[in-house]
Amino acid sequence: MSPQKKLHEWYLIHKRDLPFRKKKQAYPIWISEVMLQQTRVNAMLPLYESFIKRFPNPETLAEAEEEEVLANWKGLGYYSRARNIRKAAIFLVQNYNGAFPKDLNLVLKLPGIGNYTARAILSIAYDLPLAVLDGNVKRVLSRYHGYTDNILGAKADNELQKKADEFLNKDHPGDHNQAMMELGATLCLPESPKCLLCPLSEFCFARIHQKTSEIPLRVKDKKQVVLNGEIFVLNHKNSILLLREPKMRFLKGMFHLPYGFIGEVPEETYEPSPFFLSLKESYKGKTPNPIGEFKHTITHHKMVFSVFSLSLESRNLVEGLTKKFGVESKWVTLSDLDTEFPSSLASKVKKILLYLES
Ligand code: SF4
């Protein structure tokens, strides 16, 4: 029996009973795949169920206000995904009557849909012969084929995509893709793969040559990341607002001045928090020009921050937003700023503020 057939038989027996796999429909598959990009299945399932209940098709999603879509995305984070899903739904409704085009290049033009998601939707919903390549599949393929180059290197994605395409089961491309991902998630684990249970074991290079701990090779090339940020000094009666926000890329668990990165960011984890975006929106038109600028470095990140200062007449708006987004806040004096916010960022802001006062 061919390895593809063995894998397919294994999948039919072991596949999980997941709601988005029940029907071969592009819309639920799309939503589930986007949600699964940063979230584990068990955590994502209740959020998926409620999202699909509220937005059962592209039409309902396209008609909804962005704020409502974001509210229904709560708990999944990385809100740009939700914004893109809504934009793509609008595009699908306007151009394809709400259906997904059965063409990889057309699907790739939709906002927020990359190669992996497009291939997953088209193969699972329409059985188009398109192999997917995610982290799990890369691990399975590199072990199976004995691919010993760095899988994080520049050429790896192209080379492994070719191997994925060649290995695809053309009779059942959707099942095959899901089987490869499931195999990577349940048996071909990064540490201690369960080769004895694996349907591919008799053909697998890494298993045969006892190289499962060496393959795949993952060598991170830490390129410098350049970021432009904004940092807000919000004053009320000689006190300055500090926040402690969940899930920040930097300054985790620390009270800090409200900040966010602007312009192009390398990935979603650098995006400004929903709190920061709402704060900026609320003070739109009232924020003066920056009072100063400074450079800051954290590991391989080179940052340039513009500092904005704004005197508030009341704390109501800010406190309403902190409640809404589950953000902790406190108000501190300028003299306490660098002890309450113990980072050289605070000292740099304080220096600018003291210079302006002098
Ligand atoms: S035999 Fe082992 S290393 Fe090879 S694909 Fe299966 S689980 Fe992975």
Side-chain angles (χ1 to χ4, degrees):
M1 197 189 290
S2 72
Q4 288 84 348
K5 197 146 195 296
K6 278 197 139 193
L7 179 66
H8 190 228
E9 289 195 352
W10 171 84
Y11 176 68
L12 294 179
I13 296 167
H14 293 93
K15 68 176 178 181
R16 283 174 285 180
D17 183 25
L18 298 170
F20 42 87
R21 285 185 182 162
K22 288 213 166 96
K23 287 184 197 156
K24 286 192 163 205
Q25 285 179 347
Y27 177 73
I29 291 166
W30 168 40
I31 302 296
S32 65
E33 286 298 338
V34 176
M35 287 185 172
L36 283 170
Q37 281 166 19
Q38 307 283 347
T39 315
R40 293 192 172 276
V41 177
N42 288 346
M44 160 273 200
L45 275 179
L47 300 162
Y48 167 81
E49 302 270 14
S50 62
F51 191 92
I52 287 288
K53 199 169 166 198
R54 170 61 192 90
F55 308 113
N57 46 44
E59 287 78 10
T60 43
L61 190 50
E63 280 163 12
E65 294 294 329
E66 183 178 283
E67 208 173 35
E68 198 194 350
V69 177
L70 296 182
N72 279 275
W73 198 261
K74 210 170 166 218
L76 288 157
Y78 310 125
Y79 287 85
S80 63
R81 292 184 295 163
R83 287 191 193 94
N84 280 333
I85 275 187
R86 179 172 164 273
K87 277 188 215 152
I90 294 171
F91 189 85
L92 288 176
V93 170
Q94 286 174 349
N95 295 282
Y96 302 109
N97 283 331
F100 263 81
K102 294 182 181 177
D103 180 306
L104 180 61
N105 291 324
L106 293 180
V107 174
L108 281 172
K109 288 191 178 136
L110 295 170
I113 298 196
N115 203 25
Y116 164 77
T117 312
R119 284 166 173 264
I121 297 166
L122 294 176
S123 63
I124 300 171
Y126 302 142
D127 263 330
L128 293 193
L130 298 163
V132 299
L133 195 65
D134 72 350
N136 282 330
V137 177
K138 281 185 204 174
R139 185 168 59 254
V140 174
L141 281 174
S142 54
R143 284 176 172 161
Y144 180 83
H145 288 288
Y147 183 82
T148 50
D149 286 359
N150 177 17
I151 63 160
L152 303 178
K155 293 180 293 170
D157 276 7
N158 272 340
E159 291 174 349
L160 288 170
Q161 183 67 58
K162 272 189 202 136
K163 293 192 185 301
D165 293 341
E166 284 160 18
F167 192 58
L168 183 70
N169 181 339
K170 308 272 185 326
D171 295 329
H172 306 281
D175 279 359
H176 176 91
N177 280 335
Q178 292 177 87
M180 289 292 279
M181 292 189 269
E182 193 102 341
L183 189 69
T186 58
L187 298 184
C188 196
L189 303 168
E191 312 287 333
S192 316
K194 299 174 182 171
C195 301
L196 286 176
L197 303 173
C198 177
L200 301 181
S201 72
E202 70 177 283
F203 317 95
C204 174
F205 177 94
R207 206 268 317 152
I208 294 165
H209 296 88
Q210 300 185 347
K211 286 192 182 294
T212 55
S213 55
E214 288 155 51
I215 306 174
L217 178 69
R218 296 170 60 88
V219 184
K220 271 194 187 157
D221 173 22
K222 284 224 164 174
K223 274 197 229 123
Q224 229 177 52
V225 175
V226 178
L227 298 164
N228 288 306
E230 292 175 335
I231 194 158
F232 278 31
V233 181
L234 298 184
N235 292 288
H236 181 251
K237 294 190 175 164
N238 292 326
S239 295
I240 295 170
L241 174 72
L242 293 186
L243 308 167
R244 183 152 63 192
E245 295 182 86
K247 294 189 183 170
M248 292 296 280
R249 168 115 201 173
F250 301 107
L251 311 171
K252 274 195 184 94
M254 183 187 278
F255 276 97
H256 58 80
L257 288 162
Y259 77 93
F261 298 111
I262 53 169
E264 282 279 305
V265 289
E267 55 167 272
E268 282 167 320
T269 56
Y270 296 92
E271 284 184 1
S273 67
F275 173 88
F276 187 75
L277 290 175
S278 294
L279 185 72
K280 271 180 68 170
E281 192 59 34
S282 310
Y283 290 113
K284 212 173 177 180
K286 294 179 210 155
T287 324
N289 291 328
I291 54 168
E293 202 177 87
F294 63 86
K295 290 184 180 159
H296 191 71
T297 304
I298 299 179
T299 62
H300 57 294
H301 302 92
K302 300 269 174 224
M303 308 169 180
V304 179
F305 277 103
S306 301
V307 184
F308 295 84
S309 172
L310 189 64
S311 290
L312 307 180
E313 280 163 20
S314 130
R315 296 181 181 181
N316 291 349
L317 198 151
V318 167
E319 286 178 354
L321 288 178
T322 56
K323 255 190 215 141
K324 181 175 172 190
F325 291 101
V327 169
E328 286 178 75
S329 63
K330 64 177 167 184
W331 296 84
V332 302
T333 60
L334 178 58
S335 57
D336 288 342
L337 182 64
D338 37 9
T339 47
E340 296 286 347
F341 174 21
S343 154
S344 54
L345 269 175
S347 321
K348 289 174 185 176
V349 173
K350 193 169 173 178
K351 206 166 149 192
I352 293 174
L353 293 170
L354 290 174
Y355 176 76
L356 287 177
E357 277 182 10
S358 64

